[in-house]
Each structure stands twice: as structure tokens, then as C-alpha cells.
Amino acid sequence: MTTDVVNGLTLRRSADGDLPVVVQVSGEAALFSRPELKVERVTYPVMTPSAAVGILESIFWKPEMRYQIVAIEVLKPVKQFTIRRNETSDVAPLSEAIKGTRRVDTAAHRDQRNAVCLRDVAYRIHAHIELAAHADKPVAAYRDQLRRRVRKGACFQQPYLGTREFTAEFGLPDDTPRANVNEEIGIMLHSIHRDGKSGQPRMEWFAARVVEGVLYVPERGIELALPV
């Protein structure tokens, strides 16, 4: 693995020697929930790699490709606010929801929960595109398609910042300077893999820290047995 310093960032190149693609996103609010807090929704202070993948897949995705996040730049100071939201404790199984055979009484099963969210956020996402064995085009073709869609503002669905009520705007990167954010984040989700035999998700984690406004994401995480 080789790296290059670009605009003060140390970015690893892909196996083919290419630098990551870059997409800039922003929004009025965000909520990147910490998994160890079950009842109350408390956000990480910065975007997570899984949220970054979700945004990129909302813009452009094919079955033969996946995104690997390299780094996330924090472009605005971390500002938090608290809201109280209505949630339901009764969820219909997917099979019944598809058939329409069961309705959820949200009024009878309403729970009010506090959520600690982020206000006025902006990030630059740096990511590699990795191809599966059955891909029939070179990786450069997929990178070009992503860039064209970002330039046009096209997406398969509206990207969001952690939760669907907080929509994200996206575009090509500009010269906005990074915010002076330095923080030890703790354990953060790196990626989720599906076991082909059991279908059970296999999660990898990493020790996250923001240094001078940059969250670097390692190429691989580690599997941890976190309490349920």
C-alpha cells in the first residue's frame, strides 16, 4: 500500500495506484448514533464511515462494486443540540409489512426519546471504489460515473446524514478549509460484511480519532464482541 500527501492529507492509494474519489456533503443537522447507547440517541461528534458509504451509495451504486472509505474531513466546528422525538415500540415484521396484513398503532405504542444531534455540518468524503470479480468494466469507468452524477446532482434516493429526517446536500469538493477539531472518538463501526452461509452480519470496528479536522479510516477494522 502506498500513500500520498494531498492538500495536507495522507491518503492511501488503491491497489491500482489511484487516489480516492472525493465528494463533499453538508446539511442543517445530523445524527450518527453511538451503538453502545440503546435508549437515547446520542450522536458521534463526526460522520461515521458507514454513514459515508450510505451517502455514496445513494448517489451511485452497482452490484459489482463497493466503497471503501479512506478519510473524512470535518469542515465545520462540532455543534450539538437536543430534540425530543416520537418513536414506536411496536414494529411489524417485514413479511407482514410487505403484504399489508398488519398495521402498527403508533399512538398506542408511542415512546418519546431524547436525541443529541449535530447542527450545521459539512464533510469531504474520500473513498476508493472496489470491484467484485464479476465486474465487466474497469474501475475508472465507475469513478467517472460517480463524478458525473455528483456534478449533475443526480442520486437514486435523497442522501441523509445518519437518519432520514436530516437530508444531505452533495457536490464536488471545493477549497473550504478543515475545522480545527481534535478529539478521541472511541470505538466506531468500520464496516459490515454478510456471511454467505449464515447470512449473519459480521461487523468490524476501529479506534477512531480526529486529528486537525481529519478522521482517517484504516483499510481493515477488527471484530469485537460488544455487549448487546
Coordinates of all heavy atoms in Angstrom, one line a residue, residues 12 44 48-54 57 66-69 130 187-194 200-207 217-224 226:
R12 N -4.1 7.0 1.3 CA -3.6 5.7 0.7 C -4.2 5.5 -0.7 O -5.3 5.8 -1.0 CB -3.9 4.5 1.5 CG -5.3 4.2 1.7 CD -5.5 2.9 2.5 NE -6.9 2.5 2.7 CZ -7.7 2.9 3.6 NH1 -7.2 3.8 4.6 NH2 -9.0 2.5 3.7
Y44 N -22.3 10.5 17.4 CA -20.8 10.7 17.4 C -20.6 12.2 17.0 O -21.5 12.8 16.4 CB -20.2 9.9 16.3 CG -20.0 8.4 16.7 CD1 -20.8 7.4 16.1 CD2 -19.0 8.0 17.5 CE1 -20.6 6.1 16.4 CE2 -18.8 6.6 17.8 CZ -19.6 5.7 17.2 OH -19.4 4.4 17.5
T48 N -19.7 8.9 10.5 CA -19.1 7.6 10.6 C -18.8 7.1 9.2 O -19.5 7.5 8.2 CB -20.0 6.6 11.3 OG1 -21.2 6.5 10.5 CG2 -20.3 7.1 12.7
P49 N -17.9 6.1 9.0 CA -17.6 5.5 7.7 C -18.9 4.9 7.1 O -19.1 5.0 5.9 CB -16.5 4.5 7.9 CG -15.8 5.0 9.2 CD -16.9 5.7 10.0
S50 N -19.7 4.2 7.9 CA -20.9 3.6 7.4 C -21.9 4.6 6.9 O -22.6 4.3 5.8 CB -21.5 2.7 8.5 OG -21.8 3.4 9.6
A51 N -22.0 5.7 7.5 CA -22.9 6.8 7.0 C -22.3 7.4 5.7 O -23.1 7.7 4.8 CB -23.0 7.9 8.1
A52 N -21.0 7.5 5.6 CA -20.4 8.0 4.4 C -20.7 7.0 3.2 O -21.0 7.4 2.1 CB -18.9 8.1 4.6
V53 N -20.6 5.7 3.5 CA -20.9 4.7 2.4 C -22.4 4.8 2.0 O -22.7 4.8 0.8 CB -20.6 3.3 2.9 CG1 -21.2 2.2 2.0 CG2 -19.1 3.1 3.1
G54 N -23.3 5.0 3.0 CA -24.7 5.2 2.6 C -24.9 6.4 1.7 O -25.8 6.3 0.8
E57 N -23.6 5.5 -1.8 CA -24.5 4.5 -2.5 C -25.8 5.1 -2.9 O -26.4 4.7 -3.9 CB -24.7 3.3 -1.6 CG -23.5 2.4 -1.4 CD -23.7 1.2 -0.5 OE1 -24.7 1.2 0.2 OE2 -22.9 0.3 -0.6
R66 N -18.2 -1.8 -4.5 CA -18.4 -1.3 -3.1 C -17.5 -0.2 -2.8 O -16.4 0.0 -3.4 CB -18.3 -2.4 -2.1 CG -16.9 -2.8 -1.7 CD -16.8 -3.9 -0.7 NE -15.5 -4.2 -0.3 CZ -14.9 -3.7 0.8 NH1 -15.6 -2.8 1.5 NH2 -13.7 -4.0 1.2
Y67 N -17.8 0.7 -1.8 CA -17.0 1.8 -1.4 C -16.1 1.4 -0.2 O -16.6 0.8 0.7 CB -17.8 3.0 -1.1 CG -18.5 3.6 -2.3 CD1 -19.9 3.3 -2.6 CD2 -17.8 4.4 -3.2 CE1 -20.5 3.9 -3.7 CE2 -18.4 5.0 -4.3 CZ -19.8 4.7 -4.5 OH -20.4 5.2 -5.6
Q68 N -14.9 1.9 -0.2 CA -14.0 1.8 1.0 C -13.6 3.2 1.4 O -12.9 3.9 0.6 CB -12.8 0.9 0.6 CG -11.9 0.7 1.9 CD -10.6 0.0 1.5 OE1 -9.7 0.6 1.0 NE2 -10.6 -1.3 1.8
I69 N -14.0 3.6 2.5 CA -13.8 5.0 3.0 C -12.3 5.1 3.4 O -11.8 4.2 4.2 CB -14.7 5.4 4.1 CG1 -16.2 5.2 3.7 CG2 -14.4 6.8 4.5 CD1 -16.6 6.0 2.5
E130 N -14.1 -0.4 -5.0 CA -13.5 -1.7 -5.1 C -14.5 -2.5 -6.0 O -15.7 -2.5 -5.7 CB -13.3 -2.4 -3.8 CG -12.2 -1.7 -3.0 CD -11.9 -2.4 -1.7 OE1 -12.7 -3.3 -1.3 OE2 -10.8 -2.2 -1.2
I187 N -14.5 3.7 20.1 CA -14.8 2.6 19.1 C -15.9 3.1 18.2 O -17.0 3.6 18.6 CB -15.2 1.4 19.9 CG1 -14.1 0.9 20.7 CG2 -15.6 0.3 18.9 CD1 -12.8 0.5 20.0
M188 N -15.6 2.9 16.9 CA -16.6 3.3 15.8 C -16.7 2.1 14.8 O -15.8 1.4 14.5 CB -16.1 4.5 15.1 CG -17.0 5.1 14.0 SD -16.4 6.6 13.2 CE -16.9 7.8 14.5
L189 N -17.9 2.0 14.3 CA -18.1 0.9 13.3 C -17.3 1.2 12.0 O -17.4 2.3 11.5 CB -19.6 0.9 12.9 CG -20.0 -0.2 11.9 CD1 -19.8 -1.6 12.4 CD2 -21.5 0.0 11.5
H190 N -16.6 0.2 11.6 CA -15.8 0.3 10.3 C -16.6 -0.1 9.1 O -16.7 0.6 8.1 CB -14.5 -0.5 10.5 CG -13.6 -0.4 9.3 ND1 -13.8 -1.2 8.2 CD2 -12.5 0.3 9.0 CE1 -12.8 -0.9 7.3 NE2 -12.0 0.0 7.8
S191 N -17.1 -1.3 9.2 CA -17.8 -1.9 8.0 C -18.7 -3.1 8.5 O -18.4 -3.7 9.6 CB -16.8 -2.3 6.9 OG -15.8 -3.2 7.5
I192 N -19.6 -3.5 7.6 CA -20.5 -4.6 7.9 C -20.3 -5.6 6.7 O -20.5 -5.2 5.5 CB -22.0 -4.2 8.0 CG1 -22.1 -3.2 9.2 CG2 -22.8 -5.4 8.3 CD1 -23.5 -2.7 9.4
H193 N -20.1 -6.8 7.0 CA -19.9 -7.9 5.9 C -21.0 -8.9 6.2 O -21.3 -9.3 7.3 CB -18.5 -8.5 6.0 CG -17.4 -7.5 5.9 ND1 -17.0 -6.9 4.7 CD2 -16.7 -6.9 6.8 CE1 -16.1 -6.0 4.9 NE2 -15.8 -6.0 6.2
R194 N -21.5 -9.5 5.1 CA -22.5 -10.5 5.2 C -21.8 -11.9 5.0 O -21.1 -12.1 4.0 CB -23.6 -10.4 4.1 CG -24.5 -9.2 4.4 CD -25.4 -9.4 5.5 NE -26.3 -8.2 5.8 CZ -27.2 -8.2 6.7 NH1 -27.4 -9.2 7.5 NH2 -27.9 -7.1 7.0
Q200 N -25.6 -13.9 8.5 CA -25.5 -13.1 9.6 C -24.5 -12.0 9.4 O -23.4 -12.2 8.7 CB -25.1 -13.9 10.9 CG -26.1 -14.9 11.3 CD -27.4 -14.2 11.8 OE1 -27.3 -13.2 12.5 NE2 -28.5 -14.7 11.4
P201 N -24.7 -10.8 9.8 CA -23.8 -9.7 9.6 C -22.5 -9.9 10.4 O -22.6 -10.3 11.6 CB -24.5 -8.4 10.0 CG -25.6 -8.9 11.0 CD -25.9 -10.3 10.5
R202 N -21.4 -9.6 9.9 CA -20.1 -9.6 10.6 C -19.6 -8.2 10.6 O -19.3 -7.6 9.5 CB -19.1 -10.5 9.9 CG -17.7 -10.6 10.6 CD -16.9 -11.8 9.9 NE -16.8 -11.6 8.5 CZ -15.9 -10.8 8.0 NH1 -15.0 -10.1 8.7 NH2 -15.8 -10.7 6.7
M203 N -19.4 -7.6 11.8 CA -19.1 -6.2 11.9 C -17.6 -6.0 12.3 O -17.1 -6.8 13.2 CB -20.0 -5.5 12.9 CG -21.5 -5.5 12.5 SD -22.5 -4.6 13.7 CE -22.7 -5.9 14.9
E204 N -17.0 -5.0 11.7 CA -15.6 -4.7 12.1 C -15.6 -3.3 12.6 O -16.4 -2.4 12.2 CB -14.7 -4.7 10.8 CG -14.5 -6.1 10.3 CD -13.5 -6.2 9.1 OE1 -13.0 -5.1 8.8 OE2 -13.3 -7.3 8.6
W205 N -14.7 -3.0 13.6 CA -14.7 -1.8 14.3 C -13.2 -1.2 14.3 O -12.3 -1.9 14.0 CB -15.1 -2.0 15.8 CG -16.5 -2.6 15.9 CD1 -16.7 -4.0 15.8 CD2 -17.7 -2.0 16.1 NE1 -18.1 -4.2 15.9 CE2 -18.7 -3.0 16.2 CE3 -18.1 -0.7 16.4 CZ2 -20.0 -2.8 16.4 CZ3 -19.5 -0.4 16.6 CH2 -20.4 -1.5 16.6
F206 N -13.1 0.1 14.7 CA -11.8 0.6 14.8 C -11.8 1.7 15.8 O -12.9 2.3 16.2 CB -11.3 1.2 13.4 CG -11.9 2.4 13.0 CD1 -11.2 3.6 12.9 CD2 -13.2 2.4 12.5 CE1 -11.8 4.8 12.5 CE2 -13.8 3.6 12.1 CZ -13.1 4.8 12.1
A207 N -10.6 2.1 16.4 CA -10.5 3.1 17.3 C -10.3 4.5 16.6 O -9.3 4.7 15.9 CB -9.2 2.9 18.2
V217 N -9.6 6.5 8.2 CA -10.2 5.2 8.3 C -9.3 4.1 7.9 O -8.8 4.2 6.7 CB -11.5 5.1 7.5 CG1 -12.2 3.8 7.8 CG2 -12.5 6.3 7.9
P218 N -8.9 3.2 8.7 CA -7.9 2.1 8.3 C -8.5 1.3 7.2 O -9.8 1.2 7.0 CB -7.7 1.4 9.6 CG -8.9 1.6 10.4 CD -9.3 3.0 10.1
E219 N -7.7 0.5 6.5 CA -8.1 -0.3 5.4 C -9.0 -1.5 5.9 O -10.0 -1.9 5.3 CB -6.9 -0.9 4.7 CG -7.3 -1.6 3.4 CD -6.1 -2.0 2.6 OE1 -5.0 -1.7 3.0 OE2 -6.3 -2.6 1.5
R220 N -8.7 -2.0 7.1 CA -9.5 -3.0 7.7 C -9.7 -2.7 9.2 O -8.9 -2.0 9.8 CB -8.7 -4.4 7.7 CG -8.5 -4.9 6.3 CD -9.8 -5.3 5.6 NE -10.6 -6.2 6.4 CZ -10.5 -7.6 6.3 NH1 -9.7 -8.1 5.4 NH2 -11.3 -8.3 7.0
G221 N -10.9 -3.1 9.7 CA -11.2 -3.0 11.1 C -10.9 -4.3 11.8 O -10.3 -5.2 11.3
I222 N -11.3 -4.4 13.1 CA -11.2 -5.6 13.8 C -12.6 -6.0 14.4 O -13.5 -5.2 14.6 CB -10.2 -5.5 15.0 CG1 -10.7 -4.4 16.0 CG2 -8.8 -5.2 14.5 CD1 -9.8 -4.3 17.2
E223 N -12.8 -7.3 14.5 CA -14.1 -7.8 15.0 C -14.0 -7.8 16.6 O -13.1 -8.2 17.2 CB -14.4 -9.2 14.6 CG -14.6 -9.3 13.1 CD -15.1 -10.7 12.6 OE1 -16.0 -11.2 13.2 OE2 -14.4 -11.2 11.7
L224 N -15.1 -7.2 17.2 CA -15.2 -7.1 18.6 C -16.5 -7.7 19.1 O -17.5 -7.5 18.4 CB -15.1 -5.6 19.1 CG -13.8 -4.9 18.7 CD1 -13.9 -3.4 19.1 CD2 -12.6 -5.5 19.5
L226 N -19.0 -6.9 21.2 CA -19.6 -5.8 22.0 C -20.8 -6.3 22.8 O -21.6 -7.1 22.2 CB -20.0 -4.6 21.1 CG -18.8 -3.9 20.4 CD1 -19.3 -2.7 19.6 CD2 -17.7 -3.5 21.4

